[in-house]
Amino acid sequence: ELVTTESNYVAILDSVFKISEEAENPDQQGGALLDQQEMKIIFSNLVLIRKVHTDMLKKLHELELNWTDESCIGSVILEFSEDLLKAYPPFVNFFEQTKSQILECDRRSPRFHAFLKKCERRPECSRQTLTELMIRPVQRLPSMSLLLNDLLKHTKKLSVQLGRTTEHRDVGLLEVAIDKVKTVMTHLNEEKRRTEGQITIFDIYSEIENCPASVVSSHRSFVSRYDCIEVAAEDVLCGKGYELTLFLFTDILLIAKKKTGKMGGMIRSPSNMSIASGHVTLQTKALKFVSLLHLSSIQRVVDILDSPDVESGVVALVYRQTEDLEKRSERCYTVQLQSETQDEKLAVLRTICRHVANTMCRPDPENLLVRLGAKDMALDASDLIVSSLSRTFSSLYKTKQKFGRAFSFNRTPGTPN
């Protein structure tokens, strides 16, 4: 079964390469169906995979032809384990881009569309589309792992049936081979998440006007985004009533504001899914950069408790300014998250606390979260009534009390209520 499935897999890879050669052929009527860039995106990452499995299939065929009770399949898999680790990440990590490129070329080029339909009718393609054929490498390693586990089980039974006092030599080799294949799959998952995270950061950078280039960094990963409205506070990011979007990364919190149109309406930014999928296309940038907070400088995350006068979702971030090393002044930014319930708000705050603690190597993220009432924060109902129109009057707004009188940033808070 291992030889049969490997033969079928290599045959599929060969069919894909035949398609690529025909699509690239400049001598056909009308010239090549795809340009060099399109060919590279769709087919280039399959070259190493095809070579590894072609060589592996040759070894398996030789083993099958010269089979004895002492033959070991595990040794063949181990021989190619490092090659598998090198071959698969480039393809799997960018498979979504490969699919998108196929669909785009199919939509844009009638010649390529007709060519793909013709290829589907070939016996070796079995009426499968090019995208369906290209997904096979993503599926191959998991199916190989299942086959090797099944083979290991039967090899152990063989030792018992032959009345051996020791296990078959292939048992140990198969166990190591299975671990190697699992290592490749784990590495693929980690690489895929890292690659998707980098693509997401580029998309966010492209979405925000005047976004600092330093946001794009290989050591940084995107965590989540939260829409909110700024409410009353002595320290402001933009002003009361401004619609903000918070982008949480593993080490920074990027704050942007919704840009206003000519008629004063807010231009909405894309949904979370559109960013995560890596297909954000904007005619104009919907957000404008406001500030960048380093998580290591966040001192407290305040959950402002709900009351009859306070709507759900109001939170505050106590941040230590580090630009002026002598003053090291602190700021408190108050916003209302667009969360439906207290549980949802707490989930957001705990996520922020966890990443703040990670940047400071603290084992106690729960101690960063403080729960206070609106009165403890020197806020009343009028301070917290916000709308997108109230930003017009934000320059006239002054808080009735200094926030520092109600809450000392340097004081260690008591146990949360």
Side-chain angles (χ1 to χ4, degrees):
E1 186 176 359
L2 179 62
V3 172
T4 300
T5 55
E6 189 70 9
S7 298
N8 293 339
Y9 178 52
V10 171
I12 288 172
L13 296 178
D14 289 341
S15 298
V16 172
F17 268 83
K18 183 179 178 182
I19 292 173
S20 72
E21 290 172 353
E22 293 178 15
E24 191 180 23
N25 182 13
D27 298 329
Q28 60 186 305
Q29 185 178 1
L33 295 169
L34 301 175
D35 61 33
Q36 290 299 315
Q37 182 65 20
E38 291 165 341
M39 289 293 300
K40 182 178 180 181
I41 293 173
I42 297 175
F43 299 107
S44 66
N45 291 328
L46 272 176
V47 175
L48 284 177
I49 293 177
R50 184 196 184 200
K51 183 181 186 309
V52 172
H53 284 275
T54 300
D55 293 344
M56 186 188 297
L57 179 61
K58 182 179 179 181
K59 291 278 186 178
L60 290 172
H61 273 311
E62 291 175 357
L63 189 65
E64 185 181 30
L65 291 173
N66 302 286
W67 186 261
T68 68
D69 287 342
E70 300 302 319
S71 297
C72 295
I73 296 174
S75 59
V76 177
I77 308 301
L78 287 173
E79 181 181 346
F80 294 94
S81 60
E82 293 301 319
D83 294 327
L84 292 172
L85 187 58
K86 294 176 183 177
Y88 272 90
F91 180 83
V92 175
N93 290 347
F94 295 97
F95 180 64
E96 293 302 320
Q97 284 79 359
T98 300
K99 285 199 305 183
S100 299
Q101 187 67 60
I102 293 173
L103 293 174
E104 172 62 20
C105 293
D106 186 22
R107 180 190 63 79
R108 191 183 66 248
S109 171
R111 288 181 64 220
F112 187 62
H113 175 79
F115 170 71
L116 291 182
K117 290 298 181 184
K118 179 181 176 182
C119 291
E120 288 177 33
R121 293 193 291 270
R122 295 175 179 175
E124 62 268 27
C125 293
S126 303
R127 296 194 174 277
Q128 296 179 84
T129 65
L130 179 59
T131 303
E132 290 170 337
L133 294 174
M134 295 284 280
I135 203 173
R136 293 303 182 89
V138 180
Q139 302 168 336
R140 181 56 189 161
L141 291 182
S143 65
M144 181 186 289
S145 179
L146 292 174
L147 278 171
L148 292 177
N149 274 290
D150 201 28
L151 183 61
L152 175 62
K153 181 178 66 175
H154 286 284
T155 305
K156 288 181 177 180
K157 287 182 179 179
L158 177 65
S159 298
V160 176
Q161 291 170 355
L162 295 176
R164 295 190 176 192
T165 56
T166 58
E167 286 185 329
H168 193 287
R169 190 167 65 93
D170 203 21
V171 170
L173 292 172
L174 284 170
E175 289 175 340
V176 178
I178 291 169
D179 287 339
K180 287 287 186 180
V181 173
K182 287 180 179 178
T183 299
V184 175
M185 291 191 291
T186 301
H187 179 74
L188 281 175
N189 290 333
E190 292 173 353
E191 284 290 310
K192 190 171 187 294
R193 282 194 296 269
R194 189 178 298 113
T195 302
E196 289 175 347
Q198 290 300 306
I199 292 172
T200 300
I201 293 176
F202 276 110
D203 289 336
I204 292 172
Y205 174 77
S206 301
E207 186 186 358
I208 302 172
E209 183 180 310
N210 298 330
C211 185
S214 60
V215 168
V216 180
S217 174
S218 59
H219 76 272
R220 179 171 295 135
S221 298
F222 173 69
V223 178
S224 188
R225 69 182 281 170
Y226 312 107
D227 291 323
C228 60
I229 299 177
E230 188 167 8
V231 299
E234 182 179 358
D235 303 311
V236 295
L237 292 159
C238 291
K240 182 179 179 181
Y242 271 86
E243 293 186 61
L244 305 177
T245 299
L246 312 180
F247 295 91
L248 177 64
F249 296 86
T250 47
D251 63 329
I252 60 172
L253 184 68
L254 175 65
I255 302 171
K257 68 177 180 179
K258 304 285 180 68
K259 292 174 66 176
T260 56
K262 293 181 180 180
M263 301 303 294
M266 287 293 187
I267 302 174
R268 297 290 177 177
S269 62
S271 64
N272 293 351
M273 185 175 294
S274 65
I275 285 184
S277 64
H279 302 295
V280 176
T281 53
L282 299 174
Q283 296 298 324
T284 58
K285 297 186 178 184
L287 299 172
K288 186 172 183 179
F289 175 76
V290 173
S291 183
L292 189 152
L293 307 183
H294 292 276
L295 297 189
S296 58
S297 296
I298 293 179
Q299 304 297 297
R300 296 284 183 269
V301 179
V302 185
D303 175 15
I304 301 177
L305 302 177
D306 294 351
S307 70
D309 296 326
V310 180
E311 296 182 17
S312 174
V314 181
V315 302
L317 296 175
V318 179
Y319 182 76
R320 172 168 290 178
Q321 301 278 37
T322 57
E323 290 82 359
D324 190 336
L325 295 179
E326 293 182 0
K327 295 182 179 179
R328 294 184 67 85
S329 57
E330 290 176 328
R331 298 286 185 268
C332 180
Y333 303 119
T334 309
V335 298
Q336 181 178 350
L337 297 171
Q338 294 185 4
S339 55
E340 297 293 331
T341 65
Q342 175 67 14
D343 288 342
E344 290 179 4
K345 180 172 72 167
L346 279 176
V348 172
L349 297 182
R350 285 168 179 159
T351 300
I352 295 174
C353 287
R354 185 173 69 253
H355 288 282
V356 171
N358 287 342
T359 61
M360 296 189 290
C361 299
R362 287 182 53 167
D364 57 344
E366 65 281 355
N367 290 339
L368 292 167
L369 181 60
V370 182
R371 305 184 71 186
L372 294 172
K375 291 182 179 179
D376 297 325
M377 300 284 290
L379 299 172
D380 57 32
S382 62
D383 296 330
L384 301 170
I385 298 174
V386 295
S387 70
S388 59
L389 296 177
S390 65
R391 65 183 182 278
T392 308
F393 309 102
S394 61
S395 61
L396 303 176
Y397 176 79
K398 299 293 181 182
T399 50
K400 296 179 181 179
Q401 289 181 284
K402 292 289 185 180
F403 182 81
R405 297 175 187 173
F407 180 64
S408 172
F409 299 150
N410 298 317
R411 177 170 56 86
T412 302
T415 305
N417 295 331

